Amino acid sequence: MKADAVRGHLDGLLLAVLEPGPLHGYAIITAVQRRSGGALELRTGTIYPALNRLERLGLLSSSWESAAGERRRRAYELTDAGRATLAGERAAWSEFTAAIGAVLNPDPQPGGARPGLAT
């Protein structure tokens, strides 16, 4: 899937994968890829600026963590404001997909009539 496909939806994707709990950058990339069945592959150059922006907006918080034998890495997690924003992103996505679906896959009209045609 093209990178342009996620434009405008990146914030929602990042917030959604962070909903269960804190993750570091590579784990976020992996979670998006796994949840999308491999269709979405985000690059580090895409997600880190977005994570930093979401943190500045107060939607995420971050802290440094270190695991045995590994270098320190920053873990991100949702704030209450981030959870509220995610709920809004989900509602907006539902409205958007319903509207696009109604255009691409219209329901047949009762009696075989087609919208826009005089009978």
Side-chain angles (χ1 to χ4, degrees):
M1 191 170 290
K2 294 181 181 178
D4 288 347
V6 298
R7 190 170 297 154
H9 305 289
L10 181 60
D11 291 359
L13 295 173
L14 297 176
L15 295 173
V17 298
L18 288 167
E19 185 177 31
L23 295 172
H24 58 84
Y26 181 74
I28 293 169
I29 292 170
T30 302
V32 169
Q33 188 174 18
R34 187 185 74 251
R35 284 191 185 189
S36 70
L40 301 176
E41 292 186 31
L42 301 179
R43 299 178 189 271
T44 56
T46 300
I47 70 150
Y48 284 109
L51 291 169
N52 290 332
R53 182 176 43 74
L54 293 171
E55 187 172 19
R56 281 193 312 274
L57 291 171
L59 305 180
L60 300 179
S61 62
S62 68
S63 59
W64 287 100
E65 63 177 31
S66 50
E70 294 182 22
R71 65 179 194 188
R72 290 174 18 125
R73 56 193 178 187
R74 187 175 292 273
Y76 298 87
E77 64 182 315
L78 289 180
T79 62
D80 289 340
R83 289 183 193 289
T85 299
L86 176 57
E89 290 279 339
R90 285 184 168 137
W93 178 253
S94 292
E95 290 175 20
F96 176 76
T97 57
I100 297 298
V103 173
L104 293 177
N105 300 308
D107 289 331
Q109 298 296 311
R114 293 176 35 199
L117 297 178
T119 54

